[in-house]
Amino acid sequence: MALGPRLDLRQSQSLVMTPQLQQAIKLLTLSNLELETFLSDELEKNPLLDTGEISTESNEADYGGDGAGEAATQGSDEILTSGPAESESALDMPSDTDSFSNNSLSQSDGALDGQLGINGATSGAGTSGEAPDYENMLVAEMTLTDYLMDQAGAILSGVDLFVAQHIIDQIDECGYLQADLLELAQRLNVGLVDIERLLGVVQTLDPVGVGARDLAECLALQAKEADRYDPAMARLIDNLGLLAKGALPQLKRICGVDDEDLMDMISELRNYDPKPGCKIGGGDVQSVVPDVFIAERAGKWIIEVNSATLPRVLVNRSYYSELKDGAQDKQSKEWLNECLADANWLVKALDQRQRTIVKVATEIVKQQEAFFRKGVAHLRPLTLKNVAEKIEMHESTVSRVTSNKYLSCSRGTFELKYFFTSGIQSSTGGEAASAEAVKSHIKALIDEEDPKKILSDDKLVALLKDKGFDIARRTVAKYREALGLGSSVQRRRQKALEGKAA
């Protein structure tokens, strides 16, 4: 067989991730605050983008008893697969329809203000007033490090202050020292005795208990401050493991006290703070701004995207006309047309993002209506696939829409992912219940249990089956641990301690 060059013609199909497609996917996953930063960068890069009045035409929907209001006329999947917008086409919002602002969450409705915790302009849609600045709502707090340094600077100076500063830098937000004293002494080239002496000075600062290396030392510092650190209290603090197990007879022998004195010491320890640094604040305050507002009016659910944190992005066509008249060379015209195409595409993608969020939120409200009316015990099992099939979108699109976004309703603020939970089959053959609903029932049963008749996991399984939940014992144990609730043995010891201390 002869070897030689030849030409072959082949045909294949592949998905090409165009810049517009990548941008549309990115916009779906961003939260409102992240989107605000993204838009600020785009406004700086593209001279044809401008901010304007906020419109609410595509941001709201109302869901009545007969079904969800149509929130979008074009699927998100369509915009992800379509080409860039026509360079000369403008995305104009209809202005002749009734504005949602007449029946919006942004109206000064006292009941809604009480439910959502917002004022008349917080929703940001359909309002003429200035939207509140969420960042300014955060109270500026002094960090624990600054608070301790202010105190140390008043009583120390020179080398001692320098060493104390390094010790304070190794204290975490809970108030515990996270460094080895010997390593710190070697790094600073000072004696271990000086390190220990200055640590003792730091441990005298406010709040009491700061600078401790473990829980026992933290409690001991607070006991000394309260003048309760006698030999019996010292032995009790040294045996916190036995106290956690509820080994009261053994603790009485070790401490050499009777029942009354032991209960008095335990009661004293409960008044101490195991994390003294948290009172001062050891980190930045993380704010959660809802992306969607939900409220009920006249038997209908009002769904509104929070536009308070977002500028209304428009294409500045008058500026485009000025630049177009001044453009002479081919390169300038190509750059100007590219800017216009990118601006039109971004406006279209943002509009579709709002519509898609409302569409997904509307379906969530429809599927989880019992939760919004009656509480977490009535939360239904729901998957991304269920919502995707109902709104005729791809499952990955729904996943992106619900990522890092929060919903505010009368029951609080929840992440959209919260409403997607696994299901527990009904023992009576009825509708399955969500895992969150089962957890709420487990917590209610344990909260109401008799201290003299602590419920075992087997008993919880039986009680849950009486309520219609077909659940295994290992699942009950897993949900109980996820709620931070101890086993029956641990709860029995805890309630016994509480009863004796009372």
Side-chain angles (χ1 to χ4, degrees), residues 13 32 66 118 163 263 328 369 496:
Q13 291 182 334
N32 268 13
D66 55 351
I118 58 177
V163 175
M263 290 303 106
Q328 301 297 331
E369 185 175 7

Side-chain angles (χ1 to χ4, degrees), residues 206-242:
D206 184 66
V208 181
V210 73
R213 285 159 284 188
D214 53 36
L215 177 61
E217 186 176 13
C218 179
L219 296 178
L221 290 172
Q222 296 180 62
K224 291 176 182 178
E225 181 67 20
D227 197 21
R228 290 295 305 270
Y229 194 71
D230 52 28
M233 179 65 80
R235 297 190 192 99
L236 178 61
I237 292 177
D238 290 338
N239 293 274
L240 293 178
L242 294 176

Side-chain angles (χ1 to χ4, degrees), residues 239-251 489-490 492-494 497:
N239 293 274
L240 293 178
L242 294 176
L243 180 60
K245 294 179 182 179
L248 300 184
Q250 190 174 351
L251 284 174
V489 175
Q490 293 171 328
R492 184 178 294 107
R493 289 173 177 171
Q494 181 180 0
L497 288 174

Side-chain angles (χ1 to χ4, degrees), residues 383-402:
T383 63
L384 296 172
K385 184 178 180 181
N386 296 142
V387 174
E389 290 176 350
K390 291 290 185 180
I391 63 177
E392 298 180 352
M393 289 184 178
H394 196 272
E395 185 176 343
S396 62
T397 303
V398 178
S399 177
R400 294 186 182 100
V401 170
T402 56

Side-chain angles (χ1 to χ4, degrees), residues 401-420:
V401 170
T402 56
S403 176
N404 299 320
K405 295 179 182 64
Y406 292 84
L407 178 150
S408 177
C409 63
S410 59
R411 298 193 176 276
T413 301
F414 303 89
E415 190 176 7
L416 288 181
K417 292 286 189 183
Y418 173 82
F419 299 98
F420 297 90

Side-chain angles (χ1 to χ4, degrees), residues 105 107-120:
L105 297 185
Q107 294 291 330
S108 299
D109 189 307
L112 283 178
D113 291 350
Q115 292 175 347
L116 300 178
I118 58 177
N119 58 24

